[in-house]
Amino acid sequence: MPTAARIPATSPIGRDTPRVDGKLKVSGKAQYCSDFHFPGLLYAVPVEATIAAGRVVGLDTAAAEKMPGVRAILHRANIGKISRSVLGPGFARICVERRPPFEDDVVRYYGQYVALAVADTFESAKAAADAIRVTYAREKPNVDADLKADDDPDVVETSYGPEHRMQSERGDPDAAFANAAVKLDQTYVTPSQTHNPIELQGTTAMWDGPMLTIYEESQGIFNMRGVLAQMFGLPEENVRVVTRFVGSGFGSKLWPWAHCPLAVAAARQVGKPVKLVLSRKMTFQSAGHRARTQQRVRLGAAKDGKLVSLQHDYVYERSMLEVYHENCGEATAFQYSVPNLRVRFGRARRNIGTPSDMRGPGAVPGLYATESAMNELADQLGIDPVALRRMNEPKIDEGLKLPFSSRHLLECFDLGAEKFGWSKRSPGVGSMKRDGLTLGWGMAGCSWIAGRFPASASVQLRDDGTTRVACGTQDIGTGTDTILAQLGAAKTGVPLEKVEVALGDTSLPEGPTSGGSLATASIVPAVFAAADNAIAALLQVATRTSGSPFEKRNADELAFEDGRVFVKASGSAGGVPFADVLRRANLHVVTGSGKSEAMFGDPSAKFSTHAFGCHFVEVTWQPEIARLRVGRVVTVIDAGRIINPLAGRNQIEGGVIFGIGMALFEHTTYDPQNGAPINASLADYIVAVNADMPPIEVHFLDYPDTVINELGAKGVGEIGAAGVAAAVTAAVHHATGVRVRELPVKIENLLA
Ligand code: MOS
């Protein structure tokens, strides 16, 4: 394994670095996608189906068309051609709802778009959309919450490619379970959840002849470009996607949804820029959500707690249109050492919008189930849940049969237990009190994938002593702007405030999707290679400039450190700033490009690459008034080198908050009569807010993982949310004696 790159003392890598775009955001100068205005801009409002199953049999647009300011009413008969897009190699062109809008008159979920009003103002467009009369042939929708697998094939084409129903198998899990001294067989349920980023989704589209530009708050601008190019029959270079700032996404903005091609088709029709911003209600219906899951976990163990069998059988909801694979078994095959194991799944068709990735997709609901089962097994055995995990710590990834690139989960447990004071835990239900409150303590482990998407970047050194780092990725609020600035500063010696960052535009070198917590790890090697190439170009310039102190030297006699060029043999003391080298050559700029290769889903991988961590949670319980609060959380994360600990802690805190919301509040509920998400507003869909939050203490281990990149940095986005719900429900049980196996924990559960 290579050793980690040496980081100069002056480098901002590993230092708490406030966001470079922070001032723009807090001063309101940051322009989000729907803030952009263009001359002649029109507004579009979709008409949402009010049934979840059936057909559109009539569409009366006469009244709407006559309304003031209305420019067009689009529907199936007049929208023009929109083609399907197809999945490309290497996770290219992912689209979890590939059916182009208005492709047929079948309604498969409530809120499916059936028409679009385009007008001079948003208000006119809304009024026109409301005036369109739609008649339906109505069928009974299936939004049944009880999930039974209803599709059989062993291999199914999903939005990510083919998936096998049997995910992992080793040994003889049935026999081992049957013969196990201690058995646990429980089913855990997680509800549909909706992402609810504060910034709503939307598209502003405009055409210039054959060139299409869209402003879209996307987590993956190049993926968006590829899908739209196919849908509108364009070469990819004719499509430009701009995403300068994103008001977070949590996965909802990873892939194109039906509103994107609708806005593009409307702009094509009216020959003007068109803006379409979803309502909050629409985002519940037609812009992705976390699939409901039902997960049966069977554990067999010896009397001392050593696992002998693990079976994880889960079912998740899919839409009528697509299979989005909710990979609940993501961590199951490697988290613990167990000789006999089976992970398999099924899907249940429902009349709902297509589910999609939501913060820690698969692993977050999956680890809720498996970590809950481990906690229950520990209680059943009468041993400490940390001790049970310690006893079952694997030496290698037993699913892939590969060594871990790095795994320090036991050290996470040690540090977490110490910081939390876990040794003071008395295991009896309701046995711990403080200030008149009953305390519940619970814990869980977690993991999340680590790796890289392919990425490219460019770095410029400029004659004014500044540098520019360009990468066509996007900052979804996680701090990618700042990471790019830190990487540029570290390599060029230019102070952070003189590093210009360019991102969020497909006219830049193709950067990674902001998904899977992989963006940071992906851009490190690309930016570093680009900077090395810019520096190499600079050294060439230095040797070829007449009058340069380095004239006629070989470039390999020269070195570059902290922004200065010098002769290696004479040391850095007499170095010349790169701006001087460029000015003497009358060059404004030298540019280097760099690439990094994908390291995700690679069947020839030599290592199993993941981040690990754990959460220790205290809840307080007042049975007299049935008041449950999360009192404090201690989280320890092993994610390699943390490039920006300030932003990293912020990410993990956000993940923990998400996890507490998952445990106690969040659930999207569908009306069995008409299939509508009933609580489709921020008033009725409860997310965790500051008032719900306890102190959250975040610690990072510092083990650079150089299998991932030369800095040893893994991602720190989604792992913060993984495992939290299992720790919370364990704490709830410890305080109240009630085992809740269907999220969220409702106060009614605790009154029994
Ligand atoms: Mo994340 S669900 O990959 O945005």
Side-chain angles (χ1 to χ4, degrees):
M1 221 180 276
T3 51
R6 199 180 64 84
I7 303 300
T10 53
S11 156
I13 303 287
R15 291 171 193 272
D16 282 349
T17 306
R19 284 160 196 268
V20 294
D21 51 341
K23 277 185 194 151
L24 282 177
K25 286 182 169 173
V26 297
S27 63
K29 293 198 183 93
Q31 270 199 299
Y32 290 79
C33 297
S34 49
D35 295 335
F36 284 92
H37 192 83
F38 300 93
L41 180 73
L42 302 179
Y43 296 81
V45 172
V47 177
E48 306 147 66
T50 54
I51 64 168
R55 302 186 95 81
V56 175
V57 293
L59 202 65
D60 180 358
T61 61
E65 275 161 19
K66 289 192 208 90
M67 291 172 75
V70 171
R71 299 296 188 105
I73 305 293
L74 297 182
H75 45 80
R76 194 173 158 223
N78 68 359
I79 185 140
K81 190 170 173 57
I82 308 177
S83 305
R84 285 195 174 229
S85 98
V86 67
L87 190 67
F91 300 98
R93 299 192 300 266
I94 294 174
C95 185
V96 303
E97 187 176 312
R98 280 171 293 185
R99 172 191 179 271
F102 310 167
E103 190 184 55
D104 53 30
D105 57 19
V106 180
V107 177
R108 297 172 178 87
Y109 60 89
Y110 187 98
Q112 182 182 315
Y113 306 132
V114 295
L116 185 75
V118 185
D120 291 338
T121 65
F122 170 76
E123 290 75 11
S124 302
K126 177 78 174 80
D130 289 345
I132 295 169
R133 292 286 155 251
V134 188
T135 41
Y136 300 99
R138 194 179 289 261
E139 290 161 23
K140 176 141 182 54
N142 180 357
V143 293
D144 191 353
D146 187 22
L147 304 179
K148 294 206 177 50
D150 62 9
D151 53 357
D152 277 325
D154 284 339
V155 181
V156 158
E157 196 57 36
T158 75
S159 22
Y160 295 115
E163 296 282 354
H164 289 263
R165 225 164 123 73
M166 183 73 78
Q167 259 184 305
S168 194
E169 193 173 24
R170 56 184 186 252
D172 186 346
D174 297 308
F177 182 73
N179 298 325
V182 183
K183 294 182 182 127
L184 177 131
D185 182 353
Q186 292 294 353
T187 296
Y188 303 88
V189 177
T190 66
S192 313
Q193 296 158 346
T194 304
H195 310 79
N196 278 302
I198 291 302
E199 184 202 23
L200 293 161
Q201 305 200 26
T203 306
T204 301
M206 66 209 76
W207 290 81
D208 181 2
M211 309 298 286
L212 167 66
T213 301
I214 72 160
Y215 287 73
E216 168 90 30
E217 59 300 285
S218 170
Q219 293 181 235
I221 54 176
F222 281 89
N223 186 84
M224 176 73 71
R225 182 182 76 166
V227 171
L228 287 179
Q230 292 205 332
M231 285 183 151
F232 289 90
L234 299 169
E236 289 198 350
E237 57 271 25
N238 284 22
V239 182
R240 181 178 171 213
V241 181
V242 182
T243 302
R244 182 60 189 91
F245 295 99
V246 181
S248 77
F250 310 125
S252 65
K253 298 168 182 173
L254 278 168
W255 324 123
W257 293 104
H259 68 268
C260 314
L262 270 187
V264 173
R268 178 175 65 182
Q269 190 102 343
V270 296
K272 304 256 190 221
V274 169
K275 181 184 288 189
L276 193 174
V277 179
L278 301 196
S279 65
R280 181 66 59 182
K281 178 168 165 278
M282 290 175 198
T283 70
F284 277 83
Q285 297 163 171
S286 49
H289 67 275
R290 200 198 292 278
R292 182 178 181 86
T293 74
Q294 240 161 257
Q295 306 176 56
R296 182 180 184 193
V297 182
R298 277 170 285 183
L299 298 179
K303 284 211 173 66
D304 65 354
K306 183 74 199 73
L307 289 175
V308 296
S309 179
L310 193 173
Q311 294 172 79
H312 190 184
D313 291 280
Y314 61 94
V315 184
Y316 55 82
E317 64 184 11
R318 50 160 291 184
S319 70
M320 297 297 173
L321 283 165
E322 294 277 350
V323 181
Y324 161 76
H325 179 49
E326 184 66 34
N327 188 16
C328 296
E330 202 269 321
T332 311
F334 65 80
Q335 194 74 353
Y336 297 108
S337 175
V338 56
N340 305 291
L341 170 139
R342 185 185 298 126
V343 181
R344 80 190 152 185
F345 61 87
R347 318 159 194 87
R349 280 170 218 272
R350 292 292 178 267
N351 288 103
I352 53 169
T354 303
S356 66
D357 303 82
M358 178 164 157
R359 205 172 195 167
V364 164
L367 282 162
Y368 158 66
T370 54
E371 288 298 289
S372 293
M374 286 296 278
N375 285 334
E376 290 199 49
L377 181 67
D379 287 352
Q380 207 172 314
L381 290 160
I383 63 178
D384 185 277
V386 178
L388 178 66
R389 287 167 170 85
R390 190 177 295 283
M391 194 181 308
N392 291 288
E393 173 71 6
K395 293 203 166 52
I396 63 163
D397 178 329
E398 295 176 3
L400 295 175
K401 299 190 174 53
L402 289 175
F404 292 106
S405 57
S406 67
R407 170 169 168 137
H408 302 90
L409 182 56
L410 298 185
E411 197 174 323
C412 292
F413 292 145
D414 289 341
L415 185 62
E418 179 203 320
K419 297 287 180 189
F420 188 83
W422 186 253
S423 63
K424 296 191 206 72
R425 179 177 187 262
S426 82
V429 164
S431 65
M432 295 181 71
K433 309 270 182 197
R434 191 182 59 222
D435 304 332
L437 303 169
T438 303
L439 303 183
W441 286 8
M443 60 80 56
C446 60
S447 66
W448 181 246
I449 50 174
R452 299 188 308 262
F453 288 128
S456 45
S458 72
V459 170
Q460 291 186 332
L461 296 168
R462 299 191 286 211
D463 65 349
D464 60 357
T466 66
T467 181
R468 176 179 187 265
V469 181
C471 180
T473 185
Q474 49 286 309
D475 188 336
I476 61 170
T478 49
T480 306
D481 266 275
T482 309
I483 294 279
L484 284 167
Q486 287 178 282
L487 297 175
K491 289 295 277 193
T492 63
V494 171
L496 266 181
E497 58 278 11
K498 290 190 175 174
V499 182
E500 180 192 337
V501 173
L503 50 58
D505 192 326
T506 53
S507 62
L508 300 170
E510 182 162 347
T513 289
S514 300
S517 307
L518 300 180
T520 294
S522 311
I523 61 184
V524 166
V527 172
F528 276 18
D532 285 340
N533 288 332
I535 291 163
L538 177 81
L539 299 186
Q540 288 294 340
V541 166
T543 62
R544 289 175 192 169
T545 305
S546 66
S548 152
F550 310 110
E551 194 184 355
K552 302 207 173 75
R553 294 263 184 191
N554 272 326
D556 58 14
E557 291 172 71
L558 305 182
F560 177 97
E561 221 168 77
D562 261 347
R564 288 167 172 264
V565 178
F566 55 93
V567 178
K568 277 181 202 162
S570 18
S572 59
V576 178
F578 70 79
D580 293 354
V581 173
L582 290 171
R583 281 200 295 265
R584 193 183 291 269
N586 193 26
L587 280 178
H588 172 52
V589 62
V590 285
T591 305
S593 299
K595 268 174 90 157
S596 60
E597 303 302 326
M599 196 196 121
F600 176 54
D602 174 7
S604 67
K606 303 264 186 305
F607 294 95
S608 167
T609 52
H610 300 270
F612 295 93
C614 63
H615 309 279
F616 289 81
V617 171
E618 175 181 286
V619 300
T620 61
W621 171 237
Q622 291 167 271
E624 306 79 12
I625 55 168
R627 185 172 197 259
L628 180 82
R629 305 279 296 170
V630 179
R632 64 195 176 97
V633 178
V634 173
T635 294
V636 184
I637 300 293
D638 164 28
R641 189 199 299 268
I642 305 301
I643 294 178
N644 184 358
L646 183 64
R649 279 194 302 276
N650 179 246
Q651 277 299 295
I652 299 302
E653 286 166 2
V656 170
I657 292 167
F658 221 80
I660 293 174
M662 173 179 176
L664 300 182
F665 308 119
E666 294 197 36
H667 60 125
T668 305
T669 305
Y670 296 90
D671 184 332
Q673 298 307 315
N674 65 3
I678 303 175
N679 54 338
S681 73
L682 282 179
D684 297 315
Y685 182 95
I686 310 302
V687 296
V689 297
N690 281 342
D692 300 307
M693 282 308 113
I696 300 168
E697 199 179 307
V698 177
H699 301 276
F700 291 114
L701 302 188
D702 183 22
Y703 292 103
D705 185 340
T706 52
V707 168
I708 310 288
N709 53 46
E710 48 269 69
L711 284 181
K714 305 181 190 181
V716 286
E718 286 151 288
I719 190 167
V724 175
V728 172
T729 51
V732 167
H733 174 261
H734 185 222
T736 67
V738 180
R739 208 54 98 172
V740 179
R741 300 191 185 91
E742 175 166 354
L743 296 182
V745 176
K746 299 191 181 81
I747 211 68
E748 303 90 286
N749 300 136
L750 307 182
L751 297 175

